[in-house]
Amino acid sequence: MIISMKPDARREEIEYVCERIREYGYKVHSIQGEQRVVIGAVGVGDVTACLESLEALPYVEKAVRISAPYKFVSKEFNPGRTVISFDGLTIGGEEFVMMAGPCSIENERQIMETATAVAEAGALVLRGGAFKPRTSPYDFQGLEREGLKLLAKAREATGLAIITEVMSDRDVDLVAEYADVLQIGARNMQNFALLKTLGKCGRPVLLKRGMSSTIKELLMSAEYVVAHGNPNVILCERGIRTFETATRNTCDIAAVSVLNELTHLPVVLDPSHATGKRSLVPPLARAGVAIGADGLLVECHPCPEKAVSDGAQSLDIAQFRQMMRDLQPYLELWRASRIPEPAAV
Ligand code: PEP
Ligand code: MN
């Protein structure tokens, strides 16, 4: 069960509701959201009687039974859409959010050149890794704090918002100082200590699907972040491991629609990691827009053949511009599909 209190509910009213829920045999977990307190109740008891008694209280906004194992992120809890705001942008609503930039931040010239170019081409968010999860310990591990400072410089120069990965709960505060959105990589989707810390980080989180994770597991991980106090989670499909070797990962494009059926959270597609191959990025980007993703996360580098990571899947600047031009008719249809229906007269 989930019980949303009215925004003006008083402390003693919230406490009274918690007491009533406990009396029915449930454990209580309450979360202070931006506008209201939301109480989650788990356990075995008489759900119908409990819901009826709570709904009768004037300071309870809504009391609902949720059958999915993930509660706060489910459509049962919120049949609408979560629209997340950061740095003057919104995601999940009427704005399509293109996030683009290099896999890794390498030096000032590289990140500034990329940031300027992707901003001019219509991107709203700059991506770039300062903490890099690399398969080999001998590969480039990222510029860490220096990289974050370069991202801040690029934001200053271009007005782009910043998304960057955080790999450890120890670095959450540091990364949150610089980033507008914290990216959780595929390898950390089930790092539960990190997910719990993100509940308190005060920034939106983009949670990538683990490379061998089911959609349900992705939603359970999102539930960790929300249940620990942060409702602003963006989900990202970035391809999964299958028997297929023609692409780096298999792009589970249907996951975007499946997620739209199961959750109210925004969903974005990363066609770069999903394919691993530059030539496949623009067609998959089109597919992402057409299927109703809220945004895209695309790797772009001024000189991909010299990139320290993921060069083969990075577009160069001219290719990024071309992709943006080619996406325009699809984006027009996307925008038309998001305009709310006029009220019937
Ligand atoms: C990345 O975005 O550069 C990255 C490491 O992605 P993923 O976690 O999806 O592999
Ligand atoms: Mn990458």
Side-chain angles (χ1 to χ4, degrees):
M1 269 179 304
I2 294 199
I3 296 91
S4 303
M5 301 297 293
K6 291 216 169 124
D8 55 359
R10 296 201 309 266
R11 264 242 316 263
E12 52 277 21
E13 293 168 340
I14 296 165
E15 203 27 63
Y16 178 73
V17 168
C18 292
E19 259 324 299
R20 293 303 307 265
I21 300 171
R22 287 192 200 99
E23 275 166 29
Y24 277 95
Y26 292 93
K27 277 204 170 130
V28 165
H29 178 70
S30 78
I31 299 174
Q32 176 66 60
E34 265 163 45
Q35 286 167 13
R36 67 187 73 239
V37 167
V38 179
I39 302 163
V42 281
V44 191
D46 186 344
V47 189
T48 314
C50 183
L51 287 175
E52 274 173 11
S53 89
L54 296 175
E55 265 175 342
L57 297 169
Y59 34 85
V60 168
E61 175 99 36
K62 175 168 96 166
V64 285
R65 163 198 234 139
I66 294 183
S67 56
Y70 36 85
K71 309 289 177 194
F72 293 112
V73 308
S74 72
K75 271 271 197 240
E76 289 169 83
F77 178 57
N78 174 3
R81 286 173 171 277
T82 289
V83 181
I84 299 176
S85 303
F86 56 93
D87 206 38
L89 307 174
T90 61
I91 188 161
E94 291 170 41
E95 198 162 20
F96 186 86
V97 180
M98 174 61 81
M99 312 182 201
C103 180
S104 302
I105 304 149
E106 298 168 10
N107 54 59
E108 180 163 349
R109 192 165 155 202
Q110 173 239 23
I111 196 69
M112 295 305 260
E113 197 177 332
T114 316
T116 311
V118 299
E120 275 172 15
L124 300 176
V125 180
L126 176 66
R127 63 147 290 150
F131 291 89
K132 292 304 303 175
R134 305 305 303 278
T135 303
S136 165
Y138 307 115
D139 284 342
F140 178 68
Q141 303 286 308
L143 296 181
E144 302 190 348
R145 188 188 287 268
E146 281 317 300
L148 297 175
K149 288 187 180 158
L150 294 178
L151 284 176
K153 231 175 174 175
R155 173 174 43 208
E156 187 78 20
T158 59
L160 291 169
I162 300 295
I163 179 168
T164 194
E165 179 162 354
V166 57
M167 297 202 304
S168 156
D169 50 335
R170 289 189 312 271
D171 296 325
V172 167
D173 288 344
L174 170 67
V175 177
E177 248 179 70
Y178 292 90
D180 299 290
V181 180
L182 303 191
Q183 175 176 322
I184 306 310
R187 291 155 191 81
N188 267 317
M189 188 202 88
Q190 287 188 314
N191 178 338
F192 299 115
L194 178 57
L195 298 177
K196 288 178 190 174
T197 308
L198 292 165
K200 305 276 176 276
C201 72
R203 298 267 186 214
V205 167
L206 180 139
L207 181 63
K208 289 187 136 193
R209 178 179 182 182
M211 60 187 83
S212 302
S213 298
T214 63
I215 289 173
K216 182 172 157 190
E217 286 163 342
L218 172 62
L219 290 168
M220 294 306 289
S221 289
E223 184 79 9
Y224 262 90
V225 181
V226 179
H228 283 82
N230 185 352
N232 296 321
V233 180
I234 303 158
L235 302 170
C236 178
E237 166 59 39
R238 48 76 74 204
I240 49 173
R241 274 213 176 150
T242 67
F243 55 82
E244 181 56 72
T245 53
T247 48
R248 180 181 179 186
N249 291 293
T250 295
C251 181
D252 183 6
I253 190 75
V256 178
S257 289
V258 174
L259 287 166
N260 281 332
E261 285 184 3
L262 298 176
T263 179
H264 49 88
L265 297 175
V267 180
V268 307
L269 178 72
D270 172 348
S272 307
H273 293 86
T275 59
K277 199 170 162 198
R278 183 177 309 129
S279 65
L280 298 175
V281 172
L284 265 300
R286 287 199 293 278
V289 177
I291 205 167
D294 294 289
L296 293 170
L297 185 67
V298 173
E299 286 186 339
C300 171
H301 191 289
C303 191
E305 62 276 21
K306 291 197 185 147
V308 298
S309 59
D310 287 350
Q313 66 193 33
S314 300
L315 300 178
D316 68 21
I317 283 165
Q319 288 161 340
F320 183 77
R321 284 196 190 111
Q322 187 62 45
M323 182 188 77
M324 289 300 278
R325 278 196 292 271
D326 294 344
L327 279 178
Q328 289 317 308
Y330 296 83
L331 288 171
E332 271 170 39
L333 289 171
W334 186 97
R335 289 189 192 103
S337 76
R338 291 296 174 109
I339 294 170
E341 301 270 322
V345 278

